[in-house]
Amino acid sequence: MGLVNGAAQAPAERVPKQDRSRATRQRLLEAAVACLAERGWAGSTVSVVAERAGVSRGAAQHHFPTREDLFTAAVEYVAEERSTALRALFPEGAADRRAVVVALVDLYTGPLFRAALHLWVAASNEDQLRSRVTELEGRVGRETHRIAVDLLNADETRPGVRETVQGFLDMSRGLGLANLLTDDTTRRAGVVTQWAAILDNALG
Amino acid sequence: MGLVNGAAQAPAERVPKQDRSRATRQRLLEAAVACLAERGWAGSTVSVVAERAGVSRGAAQHHFPTREDLFTAAVEYVAEERSTALRALFPEGAADRRAVVVALVDLYTGPLFRAALHLWVAASNEDQLRSRVTELEGRVGRETHRIAVDLLNADETRPGVRETVQGFLDMSRGLGLANLLTDDTTRRAGVVTQWAAILDNALG
């Protein structure tokens, strides 16, 4: 009976602890992305993020031993959340291509892109970050490409289609960059309308 | 005779002094862009640039009273040099569009783009830089657009052509970003080949 009780209690206690731990981790990751987007790499430390998330510095370091761990995990986590949300927007797959183009471009104009941009630019001058961020960029880039191919209903067995989708994603990144210092919404809407038609035609 | 000599000597002395001053200024501007590209904004100070250019800190401050003056002037100067060089590449105007696309994309993969990117990203978090860089980005962007329209022989009186050229320049910026951490030459060549054909078709 003691054993049974003990066995029954242990998982009952463990589950909420895991939940709490997961919730703390998520708060830290979301605070880290917001911090990077607003303050850049130089202003983003584990302490600043812990305070913003309402978590002790010790607890933050339990989850993420180094600053590099925290910020690369944060960008990856938010990118995955965005990917999931994007797929959920078009559950039927092949939807209206213009709507898909707008949703894909939107990926590059919010705080996630801003945070990732700060991380990439810092990594270009910091050896400790560089290999981690390069690997992260590769993973996130491949996943975004897969989503774009699926949602745009692009047939990559046809010559040139792979490069067409890649170039469109490069354009989306460039549109994100153009939105960094000023609100580029109006100009971007015109570019997106025009290029959605060109892309639709190119994908056949 | 004294007056004549004096009058004759003054310009004779003044011209080499102006030349020296202009040469010093150019050395500082080129050193500033190289420094920004290699070390980023955090590692780029007037002292570091002066040393790299072989100029005293005092002389550097005579030309550029503040750090913001030096680095915004540097990005603008090098952008103008690149624009002039780009126009000189195609003196006849309307050339083979694929060659023009390749040359325009090249603008975004060298040290100038890298330097400008560091400046933009720093400006997004630093109020002192922000308005200066926003204004600079506008000027350089308008000039690049004008060059692209001329060299691509694009007729902006036709609906959509302006947005077509804008989107292509956004793509070029995105391709520059993709080249920041890794050598993206091979992938970029495929994208450029495909999109040069799509752009050629879209411009008619």
Side-chain angles (χ1 to χ4, degrees):
Chain A
M1 178 78 167
L3 193 68
V4 170
N5 269 356
Q9 271 177 349
E13 262 191 319
R14 215 183 296 129
V15 172
K17 215 186 249 172
Q18 283 181 343
D19 282 351
R20 272 203 309 279
S21 177
R22 197 181 304 127
T24 300
R25 197 183 139 86
Q26 284 185 13
R27 276 214 310 282
L28 284 166
L29 294 170
E30 279 158 11
V33 163
C35 187
L36 254 186
E38 287 169 22
R39 300 177 174 221
W41 176 248
S44 293
T45 61
V46 177
S47 298
V48 167
V49 171
E51 200 186 321
R52 183 175 191 133
V55 170
S56 73
R57 198 170 185 286
Q61 281 185 319
H62 168 74
H63 285 278
F64 304 101
T66 70
R67 188 183 178 203
E68 287 76 17
D69 292 333
L70 171 58
F71 289 97
T72 52
V75 167
E76 181 153 28
Y77 169 76
V78 178
E80 280 166 5
E81 294 279 294
R82 294 296 304 268
S83 295
T84 306
L86 191 56
R87 287 202 187 268
L89 263 184
F90 303 101
E92 305 296 313
D96 167 32
R97 271 200 187 127
R98 184 179 141 74
V100 171
V101 165
V102 168
L104 283 164
V105 169
D106 275 354
L107 278 184
Y108 295 89
T109 52
L112 170 61
F113 175 75
R114 202 172 281 258
L117 183 62
H118 282 294
L119 199 64
W120 292 339
V121 168
S124 76
N125 304 116
E126 294 203 17
D127 289 341
Q128 277 169 297
L129 261 182
R130 195 186 182 96
S131 62
R132 310 262 314 245
V133 173
T134 301
E135 194 200 10
L136 169 65
E137 190 192 1
R139 274 201 307 277
V140 172
R142 280 188 296 275
E143 173 62 8
T144 308
H145 185 87
R146 260 193 302 274
I147 294 179
V149 166
D150 288 352
L151 297 186
L152 291 168
N153 199 21
D155 176 7
E156 287 204 308
T157 63
R158 286 176 46 216
V161 165
R162 183 172 174 74
E163 290 76 12
T164 301
V165 174
Q166 285 179 330
F168 161 65
L169 291 174
D170 287 311
M171 185 185 296
S172 303
R173 245 195 309 269
L175 286 166
L177 204 48
N179 200 51
L180 186 65
L181 296 181
T182 49
D183 179 358
D184 191 41
T185 309
T186 306
R187 188 194 73 95
R188 186 171 62 249
V191 170
V192 166
T193 297
Q194 177 67 6
W195 280 93
I198 292 173
L199 184 68
D200 193 32
N201 189 47
L203 291 176
Chain B
M1 177 92 157
L3 192 66
V4 170
N5 270 356
Q9 270 176 349
E13 262 191 321
R14 213 182 297 129
V15 172
K17 213 184 252 171
Q18 281 181 344
D19 281 351
R20 273 203 308 280
S21 177
R22 197 181 304 126
T24 300
R25 196 182 139 86
Q26 284 185 13
R27 276 214 309 284
L28 284 166
L29 294 170
E30 279 158 12
V33 163
C35 187
L36 253 186
E38 288 168 22
R39 301 178 173 220
W41 176 248
S44 295
T45 62
V46 176
S47 298
V48 167
V49 172
E51 200 186 323
R52 183 176 193 133
V55 169
S56 74
R57 199 169 185 288
Q61 283 186 318
H62 168 73
H63 285 278
F64 304 102
T66 70
R67 189 184 178 204
E68 288 76 18
D69 291 334
L70 172 58
F71 289 97
T72 52
V75 167
E76 180 153 29
Y77 169 76
V78 177
E80 280 167 6
E81 293 280 294
R82 294 296 305 267
S83 297
T84 306
L86 190 57
R87 287 201 187 267
L89 264 185
F90 303 100
E92 305 295 311
D96 166 33
R97 271 198 189 130
R98 183 177 140 75
V100 171
V101 166
V102 168
L104 284 165
V105 169
D106 275 353
L107 279 184
Y108 295 89
T109 53
L112 170 61
F113 175 75
R114 202 171 281 257
L117 183 61
H118 282 294
L119 199 65
W120 291 341
V121 168
S124 76
N125 304 115
E126 293 203 19
D127 289 341
Q128 277 168 297
L129 261 183
R130 194 185 183 96
S131 62
R132 310 264 311 249
V133 174
T134 302
E135 195 200 10
L136 170 64
E137 191 193 1
R139 273 202 308 277
V140 172
R142 280 189 296 275
E143 173 61 7
T144 308
H145 186 88
R146 260 193 302 272
I147 293 179
V149 166
D150 288 352
L151 297 185
L152 291 168
N153 200 21
D155 176 7
E156 287 204 309
T157 62
R158 285 176 47 216
V161 166
R162 184 175 174 72
E163 290 76 12
T164 301
V165 175
Q166 285 178 330
F168 162 65
L169 291 174
D170 287 312
M171 184 184 298
S172 304
R173 243 195 310 269
L175 286 166
L177 203 49
N179 201 51
L180 186 66
L181 296 182
T182 50
D183 179 358
D184 190 42
T185 309
T186 307
R187 187 194 73 94
R188 186 172 62 248
V191 171
V192 166
T193 297
Q194 177 67 7
W195 280 93
I198 293 173
L199 185 67
D200 193 33
N201 188 48
L203 290 176

